Amino acid sequence: MLLSASHFSSVDPYDFPDNMNMIAVVMKDGQRLTDAEVAAFIGGECRGAIRTNEDSEYYFLTVMGSSNEDRNSKVEIRVFADGEEYVVESDKTFVSDAIYGTLDEPYVLDLNATGIRRIDVVDDSNDTEWYTLEGFKIGRKPTKSGIYIHRGQKVTIRAKSYGTK
């Protein structure tokens, strides 16, 4: 039984024409974790996230993208486990229709491997550093699609639409 992702907020899959996939297992201290959450980021945007429960030891991650716009973009794989967020992989590039791992030989995301960065989880519920491109302060994270300024950086927001496309 698959559970919806809860730590990571993924983009609307209908916003992207292509995807790549990963069949993975998460390892920590030599044991497979079945209660973690795995996500893929391109350019700081969560392009896919998945969580399983103890009935499954595999994470079937779909990474949304565009073969034109994301052709040479790096894909960063993050794992949220035991209240901590880790960057496990950051040297893959987006390749439309690529599949990493199989059921017989899954892609291993090892939380004990060297070179993994731990990410401190920040509560941004009181984050008021959002501005329009015209410089008007919004006061909270926007829910409407568009380009905004957040902490001095341009950020693209894609609002989720729940209709079919």
Side-chain angles (χ1 to χ4, degrees):
M1 176 170 114
L2 291 178
L3 301 175
S4 63
S6 59
H7 177 73
F8 300 108
S9 295
S10 184
V11 296
D12 182 349
Y14 294 107
D15 287 345
F16 296 92
D18 303 305
N19 65 61
M20 65 182 239
N21 296 281
M22 180 178 285
I23 300 171
V25 293
V26 176
M27 301 293 290
K28 184 175 183 183
D29 300 326
Q31 300 293 318
R32 283 192 183 184
L33 295 183
T34 59
D35 59 351
E37 186 174 350
V38 177
F41 286 78
I42 297 177
E45 181 177 52
C46 183
R47 296 288 186 91
I50 191 70
R51 215 178 114 198
T52 66
N53 64 18
E54 59 272 356
D55 293 338
S56 176
E57 57 188 46
Y58 298 100
Y59 294 84
F60 298 94
L61 178 64
T62 300
V63 182
M64 307 314 297
S66 167
S67 57
N68 291 329
E69 295 174 21
D70 297 317
R71 180 173 304 144
N72 294 315
S73 297
K74 293 290 183 186
V75 178
E76 182 177 83
I77 305 297
R78 298 183 188 179
V79 175
F80 183 72
D82 301 325
E84 294 188 42
E85 186 174 318
Y86 302 86
V87 175
V88 180
E89 175 80 44
S90 61
D91 64 351
K92 294 220 172 310
T93 55
F94 181 83
V95 177
S96 181
D97 296 328
I99 300 174
Y100 295 97
T102 65
L103 290 175
D104 291 331
E105 292 185 34
Y107 194 83
V108 178
L109 303 171
D110 190 347
L111 301 186
N112 296 110
T114 58
I116 293 176
R117 295 186 332 241
R118 185 176 152 265
I119 296 177
D120 293 324
V121 179
V122 178
D123 178 13
D124 63 354
S125 59
N126 292 325
D127 187 2
T128 60
E129 296 295 318
W130 288 92
Y131 297 85
T132 65
L133 286 177
E134 294 80 24
F136 295 105
K137 188 171 185 175
I138 299 172
R140 61 181 166 77
K141 184 175 181 178
T143 57
K144 185 177 177 184
S145 295
I147 300 173
Y148 299 89
I149 305 295
H150 182 246
R151 297 183 180 159
Q153 301 286 326
K154 284 185 183 178
V155 177
T156 302
I157 299 291
R158 288 193 174 98
K160 294 183 178 184
S161 63
Y162 296 98
T164 57
K165 290 185 180 184

